[in-house]
Amino acid sequence: MTIINHFHRILHGGDYNPDQWLHIPGIIDRDFELMEQSCCNTFSVAIFSWGQIEVEEGKFDFSWLDDIFARCAESGKKLFLATPSAAKPAWLGKKYPESCKVRSDGHRDFWGKRQNNCLTSPIFREKVRQINRKLAERYANHPALGGWHISNEYNGEPCCCDLCIRKFHEFLKEKYGTLENLNKQYWSAFWGHHLTDWDQIHPLDGSMNTARLDWRRFITANTVEFFRMEIDAVREFSDAPVTTNMMGYYDPLDYWKFVPYCDFIADDCYPSWYHGETEETAVYFAMLHDLHYTMLGKPFVMMESCPGIPNYRPYVKLRRPNEFQREMLLALGHGADGTMYFQWRKGFGNCEKIHGAVVGHDGGDQTLAFKRVADYGNKLESLSGIVDSAKAPEAAVIYDWESNWALDLTNGFGGTETKKWQETARLHYRALWEKNIDLAVIDSDQPFDSYKLIVAPMLFMLKKGVAERLKRFVENGGTLVMTYLSAYVDENNACFFGGNPGGPDLRRFFGIWNEDIDGLEPSSDQTLLWNGKKYRVSDYAEYLHAEGAEVTGVYGGEFYKGSPALTVMRQGKGKAVYLAARTGLDFLSDFYGKLLEETGIRPVLEGMPTGVKASRRTAANGDAYYFLLNMTEEPQTVVLPRELREIWGTDTLRKSVEIPSRGGTVLKG
Amino acid sequence: MTIINHFHRILHGGDYNPDQWLHIPGIIDRDFELMEQSCCNTFSVAIFSWGQIEVEEGKFDFSWLDDIFARCAESGKKLFLATPSAAKPAWLGKKYPESCKVRSDGHRDFWGKRQNNCLTSPIFREKVRQINRKLAERYANHPALGGWHISNEYNGEPCCCDLCIRKFHEFLKEKYGTLENLNKQYWSAFWGHHLTDWDQIHPLDGSMNTARLDWRRFITANTVEFFRMEIDAVREFSDAPVTTNMMGYYDPLDYWKFVPYCDFIADDCYPSWYHGETEETAVYFAMLHDLHYTMLGKPFVMMESCPGIPNYRPYVKLRRPNEFQREMLLALGHGADGTMYFQWRKGFGNCEKIHGAVVGHDGGDQTLAFKRVADYGNKLESLSGIVDSAKAPEAAVIYDWESNWALDLTNGFGGTETKKWQETARLHYRALWEKNIDLAVIDSDQPFDSYKLIVAPMLFMLKKGVAERLKRFVENGGTLVMTYLSAYVDENNACFFGGNPGGPDLRRFFGIWNEDIDGLEPSSDQTLLWNGKKYRVSDYAEYLHAEGAEVTGVYGGEFYKGSPALTVMRQGKGKAVYLAARTGLDFLSDFYGKLLEETGIRPVLEGMPTGVKASRRTAANGDAYYFLLNMTEEPQTVVLPRELREIWGTDTLRKSVEIPSRGGTVLKG
Amino acid sequence: MTIINHFHRILHGGDYNPDQWLHIPGIIDRDFELMEQSCCNTFSVAIFSWGQIEVEEGKFDFSWLDDIFARCAESGKKLFLATPSAAKPAWLGKKYPESCKVRSDGHRDFWGKRQNNCLTSPIFREKVRQINRKLAERYANHPALGGWHISNEYNGEPCCCDLCIRKFHEFLKEKYGTLENLNKQYWSAFWGHHLTDWDQIHPLDGSMNTARLDWRRFITANTVEFFRMEIDAVREFSDAPVTTNMMGYYDPLDYWKFVPYCDFIADDCYPSWYHGETEETAVYFAMLHDLHYTMLGKPFVMMESCPGIPNYRPYVKLRRPNEFQREMLLALGHGADGTMYFQWRKGFGNCEKIHGAVVGHDGGDQTLAFKRVADYGNKLESLSGIVDSAKAPEAAVIYDWESNWALDLTNGFGGTETKKWQETARLHYRALWEKNIDLAVIDSDQPFDSYKLIVAPMLFMLKKGVAERLKRFVENGGTLVMTYLSAYVDENNACFFGGNPGGPDLRRFFGIWNEDIDGLEPSSDQTLLWNGKKYRVSDYAEYLHAEGAEVTGVYGGEFYKGSPALTVMRQGKGKAVYLAARTGLDFLSDFYGKLLEETGIRPVLEGMPTGVKASRRTAANGDAYYFLLNMTEEPQTVVLPRELREIWGTDTLRKSVEIPSRGGTVLKG
């Protein structure tokens, strides 16, 4: 299925804010000329236009938006119409202060900025429902309507008003049933924090880990509820697909909870291709793209990206040649069916006035930015075959928001800069990605069945049922890799009775007892010995006892030298691998190389030289599309394993292709 | 004209706080002995004495101050009498809480500290007016009265009380006339921040750059209004000259706005002569001195300096021999007619009890500090010829508060630590200062006519009329040097339509199009090629297109290698030079060396060795005074271009002079 | 006297929180088995159990605590029963908000966390008195009651509520009598802060050093008053000994003020034995142990320590072999009669769930932690002879909270990271400790008579009478070493009239005038020349004039090269030594080596190799116990000066002993 019904094109366009330009004659005409010139076909509109539409309470002016809709319909463009809840009008915030967030210091914020809303406030919900209905009613059947862009970058900064805190208490009542149960789960006798009334629970008590964990869950749940309310308002009139744009790994919101309500997934991606970090940056976004494909198991839209450079970077570095196309092809190759920009035209004032855009302050088509967008847009036509084509990953990496929260909120194991759960997940992902295999990124609540290999890096929390599902996965023939700092707590961030990993049952399953964990100072020279080689270990080394598992790697130093660092336990048709220490990419690369051989997972395309990365998408008709990206500063020649047709900027059968420095290409066959 | 009417001496003395010592017998007698011994002639009094004078509301005690006035009159000393608004009495703050500032978190501060006043508060203004009138009435005709020291170091930390915010709204109404106009200028449609009522404007909205810019302007305007109110109260009785002491580059207040109401300029100067930074430190203060001379085009007073070391330095380093005299001569050589100290006598308690003073806790005349002050004071008598002598700069550097604010408030180009507007201005100043030429420091609203060369480093904002005036300056034969990050925004911090620098018209004038700017990471090895040499470039490199300008320097690296980095456009009788990248002092030194030759600007004295810096003042009778300062740790011998009379510590005709390490001397001829 | 009446054992056990485990069957039975197995004999209970006892207001449930008491009585164990004021029940905090602290921003905190109490609040005091009485009444005569553990780790974070501020004003009235007197002492004329009403005094005025100093004193005084109130409530029923657990060098509370009300001293000790810092860490705690022994001149209890690793360390490093025993022997050797743990059993949830404990989450006796505790517990039996044995130090180091506060609050001399008063005291202590001598740690109000040598490192403040007492100490034959930054201020943080050190009288006594202090930048290469050697000097070098003193060390650089850096003044039978500059351990080690020879202070045991440290305790019957600790990573052989009996893990006469790496042993003889 295409993202927009019956629109068989890769979406190309971006955020369009004509309402900022109404007072300057000729701008909008010029916009539409430049859109044609750059082959843009889809735009998001009205994201921050509430005040331009509901100009005063109950008084609406749709004229400028009608005009944009009409122009798009006429020229065959599609619009993602935004619900404008991200930024309320000034009049609304001033008249209804309860619509503004109360900060953790107890102060209610003033109306400004954005996503500065109390999502619990009844009056705010009512006002959003009204404007959403107005928009839906008016444009539901417009031929230019492509879908709904619900709000914009919901954020997870809590509102601490009384309404929110009372609602949090209701959320807890629903979850725990009785205070007695909650007291047990919270281990509240610690520091004498036994609770005798629901209203005693304070979400900001740093000593009550689980209250804080539940508060984060509540923030997500309340935001999802708000999101659903927004969708419901729209759905009264319109069947067009809905989405909301996510912000990558954004920690405060568990995006998996939004997925069931999205018709397609949208994400905002702002890489910085700093010198010497090309692969790290590519991995950062490749993993995100895989996450977003995995969420609904179908193509997503890169809803925002930057044809120039985001203004908030420490170094607002000009784009190097080819780099932009490589960035776009990375998204397409990993499952995007659209690459769009924030934003179409740079505004003259306010806090993003120098954020890179398609059209600059000069207003013309002669800038590097415009020319690269136009060049890319024109080439895109050759790729329409990839629309709605699929990926088929046999390996998955678990990246679980709630588990990360639990680790974050657990006092111990050093601080965030040592825990590095996100970096660790990416490092495991990277070791696999380097092998050019197709990957999924899941959270621990997703099905495990379709994979041969599941990697659980630092899966600190085992939610209900996860241990059982992992066991079944292994018994049915899967390979599970779990690492240090996994299976320490249950879904309420409480430790397991009976030792790690995961209490007696899972201990038996892995055939190990993880007695304790050694925090390694930077000066430590601890190592892991495996397969005849010695690898550096840092930050964490768990002290394991083998209780049935095969010890395949051991420690090279300290008083526990020779004790298990890597174990394998065969269970049913599969195996459960435990990696007890933090290693570098060197080890992970060797380790996963061997593991992929054992599990029979093959690269999407053989024979890639170092520095060239390949991904694949397969159309319903069986056509395979190969995206080859050059991660180096030098041109690369790739000898192909078989003759393929190069379709990016050309249409030629190739036995080998030349990829320009920082560039990419697409092959079919 | 002398600073103090009919007082033909270089002012020497400092802040004197006898009211702290009234309870210790003999101290004040001893003070006056030590003042004689150190040739001190002028003191600032009553700066923090409100509570010592108005001992309770409406009850006044002038006895101790009368005594000081009488002693000074008797011994021929002059007093700058302070208005005491900097620190209100405790009783006032407690009785009228509205006189205290409301902080940005909405809390009203308690009465303590200093400059902790709401300058809008009617009751506070009334109380200040009363005490000022009382003081003026009593001492207006006293022979010891030298002038008025209005308040003390006004600060720009905002008060966010309702009165201030309402007044800010009035300020905006006056400026913009209509909300429609303001909305346009603020580009408020961005993030849907369209305003429909003046009271919606919040000065702290980080996303509304221009509101924040206007808020800074308002803070300055409100402080200037308060300053004028203070002056008016004094003027009801007294014609003595007024000033207020500035704090150098203090960013929150645009000091140029105070200038029209000052009879002379006063500044507080606290260098730290740390190892290896002598020239940077000298430049820091030389540029300030030039700024303060330029402000009224006449001598200023260094109102505070430290004979020891300020207590707030990370290393409270003892003064090295000669260093103190060099510091004083730096001020005199750059246009000071007085060098004064904070403070005369070290107090025993409170937060500046170890801040360097003339008289220490031992109370005697045997300290290094007292001896250096006395030695200097005695030598000063030989310099009375410089009183009211002039400087005649042919080159000016623009240092513009409002432009700096605009750049600061513009999200982008990295952060403050990358933007470094102040450091950049100083680096350009330094490259010129090293050539021993006489310099002015102006803001962009000052007249340009009298200069041959104007340097505009990072003049981010072009206020109304500035582009036209710069063009006229060039057309009339001037040389204008403008750099990267100049001419990006208008007076409301809005970008120019039509590209940089400054939109189509100024683009044509410079003959270039500045398409975009490359943010250079620290690892970048970008260079500028000029005049057969290669110079390192850092942080910023603009991507220019020559559109008529002569390209005199090009980039040495990156994909835009060979493109313009330095351009010259001849217009009328002059030329407009554009430097597109941030260079080090090496380039600037070579570049300005050549430019000064071309423009015919000569050093004030030829033949200075490296490490010796010269400045000049010229008396009405044509006598020239040359100040030669040794910036090195070794003695320096200077062969003079002609015979001159050394008058510092001697009175001898010289063909060459020996300047001690870290020292200075003065020549006449 | 034994700590617990008639209990002649070294206390071994820890914090025991059975109330967290009531819902899990079998746990408490298992606890008592494991206690036997590990030879634990004493536990602290009910520390955070208020809400588990007073389950709602006025309704009490002692059943679980009765059970623990009964089990202990039966098995011969003792209990330190805590008063539970550290953490109030949630119902109390919600019902009586005044019991919660008001933070410095004026917000009253919610009820959670711990020690989050307004200690002034009448209702809170009343509620604490009630629960304490209830506990005392019930358990006063119970055979298992060993003593009272009053509250837990009182903290010094101020409550800024109106009640506290009014009480602070009363405190000041009592201290200063009149405002006139206070104004003088505060030097309040500075910045015009003359006070005309007591209620004008704000404890947080950063510019009023002395108000802030008095505020810290008030916090301590108010906490001590609260402590006494708690004791009084208990004393109505019980004569058992009372204590409260201190937190080492914890800066906000002057622990010396608690001493008069403690029957024995208790402290919480959490070393981290990071790589390469063994001696620093040992010194850190050795000095604390000496402080705690000195406080009452008798054995103390190490009330908390960790058999594993505290969860809040940046690196939660596993214990290396032997290291744990060395840590315990360090405490015993320096005067502890008990070493106890926080905590007995690791909880499953909340913010210390991974803090090292005796029994882990696995619940068994096979962990490294449990085995090391059991091994140690069993060996402890051999040491019962040391119970109530004494130390006899001839040298003392002054560590004075109020003096440190004065220096901290004095603006100047750089910041905390340069002042380093604590590190400096420890460095002097270390230079002496390395010589294996017995040491006392005192504050300046303690008697000086019993020592031959007193070291006063950075004794910035001279409280009333201290100068006189120091003089008498010297005149009677003592050696006093005072350093830079000593004797700058009186007890109100006011400087001395007449110069440093300490004004004219003390200046004469030391025979020097300390004119000023040179703040040395890191790049400084200043040195001190002494005894034919040159030593590096950093941060501070005072500029002295000898006025009678013998100059034994001089500066090697700067313009004051050759001037005095180390002086000796003979007065009466003793000498007053002044060290004017900050040196490293190299100098201090040489310097104190010579000084100890001169003063005839001998090591407790001769012939220790580098890396082995010895301490001694002497029983009433004359038996001497020698504790030998190996500070290195290698085993060490010590040839003993005479035959001694090794009683740690053996019972053998030795002429030499082998001490394992990181280990220790105990000898008797």
Side-chain angles (χ1 to χ4, degrees), chain A residues 1-3 6-12 39 41 299 329 332 336-338 376-390 617-621 623-625 627 647-650 666-668:
Chain A
M1 232 181 74
T2 52
I3 301 277
H6 312 300
F7 195 65
H8 292 272
R9 299 175 67 181
I10 297 174
L11 306 187
H12 185 226
C39 294
N41 55 43
L329 294 178
L332 296 174
D337 266 8
Y376 168 73
N378 281 279
K379 280 179 177 170
L380 261 188
E381 305 294 325
S382 60
L383 292 194
S384 45
I386 73 159
V387 171
D388 202 31
S389 64
R617 293 182 63 179
T618 308
N621 66 3
D623 285 349
Y625 293 84
F627 293 76
I647 59 170
W648 187 246
T650 177
V666 188
L667 303 156
K668 180 176 167 182

Side-chain angles (χ1 to χ4, degrees), chain A residues 526-547:
Chain A
Q526 184 57 294
T527 53
L528 185 160
L529 309 181
W530 179 76
N531 210 15
K533 282 179 74 180
K534 184 185 279 196
Y535 300 89
R536 175 130 203 273
V537 155
S538 61
D539 297 337
Y540 300 109
E542 287 171 341
Y543 178 58
L544 298 194
H545 304 267
E547 296 180 335

Side-chain angles (χ1 to χ4, degrees), chain A residues 10 45 61 143 214 227 247 281 302 362 367 389 394 533 591:
Chain A
I10 297 174
V45 284
D61 172 10
D214 279 337
F227 177 45
M247 297 180 284
T281 306
M302 183 160 76
D362 64 295
T367 59
S389 64
E394 295 175 309
K533 282 179 74 180
F591 169 72

Side-chain angles (χ1 to χ4, degrees), chain A residues 464-481:
Chain A
K464 230 167 231 160
V466 169
E468 290 64 36
R469 291 171 47 240
L470 286 172
K471 285 163 64 180
R472 207 177 325 127
F473 165 75
V474 171
E475 284 158 355
N476 290 340
T479 296
L480 168 65
V481 178

Side-chain angles (χ1 to χ4, degrees), chain B residues 111 316-318 348 350 368, chain C residues 200 207 495 515 518-519 521:
Chain B
W111 63 269
V316 182
K317 192 178 169 180
L318 286 180
F348 285 160
N350 243 321
L368 293 173
Chain C
Q200 292 161 355
S207 60
C495 295
E515 181 186 331
D518 197 15
E521 299 159 82

